[in-house]
Amino acid sequence: MTTALRRLRNYIDGEFRDAADGRTTEVVNPATGEAYATAPLSAAADVDAAMAAAEAAFPAWRDLIPAERQKVLLKIADRFEERAEELIAAESENCGKPVALVRSEEIPPMVDQIRFFAGAARMLEGRSAGEYMEGFTSIIRREPVGVCAQVAPWNYPMMMAVWKFAPALAAGNTVVIKPSDTTPASTVLIADIIGSVLDELGHSRGVFNVLCGDRETGRLMVEHTVPAMASITGSVRAGMQVAESASKDLKRVHLELGGKAPVVVFEDTDIAKAVEDISVAGYFNAGQDCTAATRVLVQESIHDEFVAALAKAAAETKTGAVDDEDVLYGPLNNANQLKQVKGFIERLPAHAKIEAGGEQVGEKGYFFAPTVVSGLKQDDEIVQHEVFGPVITVQSFSDEKQAVEWANGVEYALASSVWTKDHARAMRMSRTLDFGCVWINTHIPLVAEMPHGGFKKSGYGKDLSAYGFDDYTRIKHVMTSLDG
């Protein structure tokens, strides 16, 4: 006897709809490896409908005074809190994440971030007016860009949806967002929440639309003529494809792509404290985080002691069922990701040494053991490329110059951290590390007020903060004659 799969649907112009051609794809719970739902496989007709809804809703939403948009976002934040248990259940099933961690580590920051951008809605301002030519006054208008096509990833489906829709809506844009084909459930639930708030407050529900689908759906969204901006969080390959597609009609593009964060540990570091924090920052969310602390560079004088302590911490780190409050992380998101992580381990060079883990665990689902690999060289594949799994690599460096050279010696430039008691060294490193974020004696904390975004192949544009808000606006110069 088979269990009926739950039916997820697109959300277009305030209505839940199947794909126009009826096509669907199965959605798998990565903790069990079994399908639990179906979702639409949206095609051109669905994209057209969602874009038309967002385009029709844009003028009225754009013309609202900021206080009214703030009111909507604050109500959405309240509703997230009221329906938190539904969101937690959806995200846990989506990703196999431990329920306790979704409750403590995702719901509170999401609510805070929505409220932050609710406040930002009332800061839609330009520089002060002035006379820069005799007889004329210049003013600056800051305006929304229009309809935003947004593509969210599968590692943090709910939170990345918030990072996208909150600044976009606050600035006066309308949204068509696509979750990953492997994790649509929580975004569909968010559509229900936002739609109900828009309806209650008397606004068009076409302000926010959700399309389920695959890469082809995302391509159709980016290439569509309606959006003025395309925003994606995903792989470098996907970002390059989006940038190329968007260039055909000069859409604005916002890209948050991969990472390979260096964690530079100097010999004066408190080893026990560093290992404790780094292991959490490396294994949290199964290492499926662009900022994860998974590439550790340790000064050679403390290398052996550090590796032994890190391997011990890995052995004590637990992965497992969603209802186990003692686990730090759940499974990898999908079968392909499990295959990718296994591949990195299988292709390790002879000089590498697996200090802990290195294998799949459990009889079902996509769980992988907390892993430490030492003895690596700078040009090794696992050092240069994003694993996106619970694997921490360790290299040994001799001095500060070499540490900087190796830390910067990858194609990614999203996040990094420095571990030292020497303040001057920390300041030097924060200047020379070529990454969008440098943490000192910590790794991975984020706050709504500070920007998140990288350089090089980690993309461009910022999430969070006033800088992320600005990315969803455009600047207009207005000049008026004083002659009357």
Side-chain angles (χ1 to χ4, degrees):
M1 182 176 178
T2 58
T3 302
L5 301 182
R6 189 159 79 252
R7 185 170 129 204
L8 304 173
R9 294 189 289 177
N10 292 331
Y11 187 79
I12 300 173
D13 202 17
E15 296 180 351
F16 285 102
R17 309 181 188 179
D18 295 324
D21 62 9
R23 290 194 304 155
T24 63
T25 183
E26 288 191 343
V27 185
V28 173
N29 183 333
T32 65
E34 298 174 354
Y36 69 91
T38 63
L41 197 55
S42 300
D46 308 296
V47 174
D48 287 343
M51 294 300 173
E55 185 177 35
F58 174 64
W61 185 252
R62 172 198 62 201
D63 294 342
L64 281 177
I65 62 170
E68 290 301 313
R69 289 199 296 272
Q70 181 190 47
K71 187 184 298 183
V72 172
L73 284 162
L74 289 174
K75 177 69 77 172
I76 291 170
D78 292 345
R79 198 60 53 82
F80 265 56
E81 286 185 323
E82 293 165 11
R83 300 180 65 176
E85 292 306 312
E86 293 176 68
L87 289 165
I88 292 164
E91 193 73 336
S92 181
E93 196 167 36
N94 242 356
C95 308
K97 294 184 180 185
V99 168
L101 288 173
V102 178
R103 181 177 292 113
S104 65
E105 304 300 322
E106 297 200 28
I107 296 295
M110 286 193 304
V111 171
D112 178 66
Q113 289 151 9
I114 296 169
R115 288 179 176 148
F116 172 83
F117 285 112
R122 300 182 76 160
M123 297 297 291
L124 199 64
E125 58 186 20
R127 295 176 181 173
S128 61
E131 289 68 49
Y132 302 93
M133 180 181 290
E134 188 174 344
F136 296 88
T137 294
S138 288
I139 62 175
I140 296 295
R141 290 181 58 87
R142 186 177 287 278
E143 302 176 339
V145 297
V147 175
C148 297
Q150 303 182 318
V151 179
W154 47 251
N155 57 336
Y156 294 100
M158 280 199 307
M159 190 173 293
M160 295 302 98
V162 168
W163 285 21
K164 295 191 180 302
F165 80 70
L169 296 184
N173 304 285
T174 55
V175 165
V176 178
I177 188 168
K178 187 191 87 66
S180 168
D181 56 334
T182 66
T183 55
S186 56
T187 312
V188 171
L189 179 56
I190 287 172
D192 184 56
I193 291 172
I194 294 178
S196 67
V197 170
L198 290 167
D199 197 40
E200 288 173 21
L201 297 181
H203 303 296
S204 169
R205 288 179 288 180
V207 165
F208 182 82
N209 305 271
V210 172
L211 285 175
C212 300
D214 57 10
R215 290 177 182 171
E216 176 64 11
T217 310
R219 183 188 67 79
L220 291 169
M221 288 171 58
V222 173
E223 292 184 355
H224 202 277
T225 57
V226 165
M229 179 176 178
S231 171
I232 178 174
T233 299
S235 67
V236 173
R237 181 184 65 177
M240 289 179 171
Q241 291 170 345
V242 166
E244 182 179 2
S245 296
S247 70
K248 295 174 183 176
D249 58 358
L250 297 179
K251 283 185 180 70
R252 183 179 297 198
V253 178
H254 182 283
L255 303 175
E256 200 275 277
L257 308 177
K260 194 68 180 174
V263 180
V264 184
V265 182
F266 286 95
E267 61 187 358
D268 62 343
T269 300
D270 181 333
I271 293 177
K273 180 65 165 61
V275 165
E276 179 183 359
D277 291 356
I278 290 167
S279 61
V280 171
Y283 297 133
F284 187 81
N285 204 42
Q288 298 170 125
D289 190 314
C290 298
T291 63
T294 55
R295 181 167 65 103
V296 179
L297 307 173
V298 183
Q299 197 154 19
E300 57 190 12
S301 58
I302 62 167
H303 173 270
D304 292 350
E305 182 182 357
F306 184 92
V307 169
L310 188 61
K312 182 175 183 292
E316 294 171 352
T317 298
K318 188 175 177 182
T319 180
V322 300
D323 57 354
D324 187 341
E325 296 191 2
D326 292 330
V327 305
L328 178 65
Y329 67 89
L332 295 166
N333 181 260
N334 54 74
N336 286 338
Q337 189 59 27
L338 175 61
K339 181 179 179 181
Q340 175 172 305
V341 173
K342 283 182 173 180
F344 274 101
I345 300 301
E346 291 165 358
R347 295 189 300 273
L348 283 173
H351 54 261
K353 180 182 179 183
I354 298 175
E355 303 279 355
E359 71 280 328
Q360 183 178 358
V361 296
E363 297 180 359
K364 60 181 181 179
Y366 311 129
F367 295 90
F368 201 84
T371 299
V372 177
V373 182
S374 67
L376 294 163
K377 299 179 181 179
Q378 180 65 11
D379 59 355
D380 286 337
E381 177 197 32
I382 200 168
V383 169
Q384 289 295 317
H385 297 283
E386 189 172 35
V387 178
F388 225 55
V391 179
I392 297 178
T393 64
V394 184
Q395 297 167 259
S396 175
F397 69 85
S398 58
D399 55 26
E400 187 175 318
K401 180 180 177 181
Q402 187 177 64
V404 171
E405 178 185 347
W406 285 359
N408 290 339
V410 294
E411 294 183 328
Y412 303 93
L414 181 57
S416 59
S417 64
V418 180
W419 301 75
T420 181
K421 295 176 182 177
D422 185 330
H423 177 74
R425 175 192 282 152
M427 292 298 97
R428 289 194 303 272
M429 292 293 290
S430 68
R431 179 175 62 86
T432 54
L433 285 172
D434 190 20
F435 296 83
C437 174
V438 180
W439 286 292
I440 298 173
N441 294 325
T442 188
H443 194 108
I444 228 166
L446 294 168
V447 292
E449 294 86 351
M450 290 293 111
H452 176 81
F455 315 134
K456 294 161 58 175
K457 286 190 176 180
S458 289
Y460 43 80
K462 298 296 183 184
D463 289 310
L464 304 177
S465 79
Y467 299 98
F469 180 65
D470 287 350
D471 279 355
Y472 286 93
T473 67
R474 66 184 189 182
I475 301 299
K476 180 185 287 182
H477 170 220
V478 179
M479 180 179 274
T480 182
S481 170
L482 299 180
D483 291 344

